[in-house]
Each structure stands twice: as structure tokens, then as C-alpha cells.
Amino acid sequence: KQEVTQIPAALSVPEGENLVLNCSFTDSAIYNLQWFRQDPGKGLTSLLLIQSSQREQTSGRLNASLDKSSGRSTLYIAASQPGDSATYLCAVDPRGAQKLVFGQGTRLTINP
Amino acid sequence: DAMVIQNPRYQVTQFGKPVTLSCSQTLNHNVMYWYQQKSSQAPKLLFHYYDKDFNNEADTPDNFQSRRPNTSFCFLDIRSPGLGDAAMYLCATSRFTDTQYFGPGTRLTVL
């Protein structure tokens, strides 16, 4: 059974810092991995999707990497801003069966 | 611009009183999903439709049902809500196994 873990559960940093969020999964046989953002009381916004054959994806200040063999993904946020404050969730699709397995998320606070 | 729309945004129901949550999409995606997210927990997939094919998760209680009358709409029916069913219910869509797009969610309160 695939399990996804995100550490730390919460992170608080000053504005302008570069930071890394971590995601690990137990079964390396994944189809793809997605990173989402969730603001309090809201739905999820997709940030990046990495296919199993890819090593990384970039969008603006965000860069996500994938290392299937070690069961890890990282989300790198450059030059953090207060508007980046949210919960960040990673999710894996184990077999391309449209069944995302989510981590618990990292609650990120960027202090002005 | 809204692509995945959920109604209502907030729903209050009484213990045991049936409730229906609605999801619609303008993306013409063939896959639609329902997730349950309890406070401070990860979203949990309840079921999904691949086109007209319904796929139920093994641990989804029988109390939860779904209907998809056409490509654009999908409904979540909770036949007899219990206090433990209070949660945020998230609808999502995708084109095959591509990126899933989520709606804003419906927060369900059970009194």
C-alpha cells in the first residue's frame, strides 16, 4: 500500500528566503506525482505535475524534482513571498489509475 | 473563468437527513472525482467516474453514493449523514490521467 509522507508538518520562514519542501513515498512504482497548494478553507490548486519519466518540472519560482528510486520529491520555492503562505500537498498516482494518494501536507508561513 | 464549480459552498444538515452536493465542470474532462477531507487531514478519494464508469474505493461507506448524469455534472449523495461525515468535500476533474483540477469544495456540517 502506497504511503506518502511530508516533513515538516509546518514551516515558518522570513520573506525572501529560498526553501525546500519534502515529500517521500513508499512504493517507487508511480505513474506521476503532483504538488498542490491549499489555502485555508479552500480547494486545491495544482502547481506542478511530474511524470514518472521526468526528473523535474519548473513553473515560475517553483521547481519540483522527482527521484523515484529513493522515493522522494522536493518542491523548491525561490524568493518566498507572504502570498506563498498556504498548505502544500504532494500526491502520487500509483498506477495511472486516477487514484491520487496524498501526503498530510506542509503548512508554510512566510513572515513579512 | 470558474472551471470546476461546487454548490453549495457550505451545507448544514441534520443527523440522518439526506444531503446532495453538486459539482459541475466546464473543462469537458472525462474523469470526475469526489474526495473527503477532514480537518488537518489529507484528502481521501471516495470514488471517481471514468466517463460513465463508476469506480468506488473499497473503504468508502455505503452511505455515500454518486451520480453522473452527463459529462459536466456529478453529484455526491449522503443518504444518512452522521457526525463523522462532517468534512470538506472536494470535486476534481481530469482529462484521463493528466493534472487533476479541483473545485473550491463544499464544507458540510452535521448537527
Side-chain angles (χ1 to χ4, degrees):
Chain A
K1 180 184 174 183
Q2 177 72 269
E3 292 182 359
V4 180
T5 303
Q6 292 183 248
I7 296 173
L11 180 64
S12 180
V13 300
E15 180 179 4
E17 282 201 4
N18 303 323
L19 57 98
V20 174
L21 306 181
N22 296 297
C23 172
S24 61
F25 45 95
T26 54
D27 187 343
S28 62
I30 66 169
Y31 188 77
N32 62 42
L33 182 146
Q34 283 188 244
W35 281 94
F36 293 90
R37 167 187 174 138
Q38 186 173 33
D39 293 286
K42 303 286 180 63
L44 279 64
T45 300
S46 180
L47 298 173
L48 291 163
L49 180 148
I50 311 177
Q51 300 289 354
S52 62
S53 58
Q54 297 174 322
R55 287 292 189 101
E56 64 179 340
Q57 282 286 342
T58 298
S59 176
R61 294 183 292 108
L62 306 179
N63 175 277
S65 68
L66 175 64
D67 183 344
K68 278 201 323 177
S69 61
S70 66
R72 293 180 183 175
S73 176
T74 61
L75 179 67
Y76 174 83
I77 303 177
S80 58
Q81 303 170 358
D84 295 329
S85 298
T87 296
Y88 290 80
L89 296 132
C90 75
V92 300
D93 184 346
R95 295 181 301 279
Q98 299 92 33
K99 296 184 178 184
L100 290 182
V101 179
F102 282 84
Q104 299 275 59
T106 294
R107 188 172 68 254
L108 176 65
T109 302
I110 308 298
N111 301 304
Chain B
D1 288 320
M3 297 181 290
V4 183
I5 302 163
Q6 291 189 243
N7 286 303
R9 295 291 311 278
Y10 301 91
Q11 176 74 58
V12 180
T13 190
Q14 292 179 337
F15 183 95
K17 184 174 182 181
V19 65
T20 294
L21 310 182
S22 167
C23 177
S24 63
Q25 53 129 339
T26 60
L27 298 163
N28 202 33
H29 284 169
N30 63 320
V31 191
M32 294 187 77
Y33 313 77
W34 280 104
Y35 291 85
Q36 179 191 63
Q37 186 180 26
K38 296 187 176 180
S39 182
S40 300
Q41 295 186 19
K44 178 179 176 295
L45 182 64
L46 295 173
F47 25 59
H48 74 280
Y49 278 92
Y50 191 106
D51 295 318
K52 293 182 179 181
D53 294 334
F54 178 69
N55 298 272
N56 197 31
E57 292 302 296
D59 55 357
T60 298
D62 293 340
N63 197 27
F64 291 86
Q65 304 286 321
S66 185
R67 297 170 283 135
R68 189 180 185 185
N70 54 53
T71 300
S72 301
F73 284 86
C74 195
F75 300 98
L76 170 62
D77 300 308
I78 308 176
R79 294 192 297 186
S80 182
L83 297 179
D85 297 327
M88 175 78 87
Y89 290 88
L90 298 165
C91 173
T93 74
S94 72
R95 181 180 173 278
F96 301 102
T97 58
D98 290 343
T99 300
Q100 292 192 20
Y101 292 87
F102 282 76
T106 295
R107 180 165 296 284
L108 178 68
T109 300
V110 182
L111 301 178

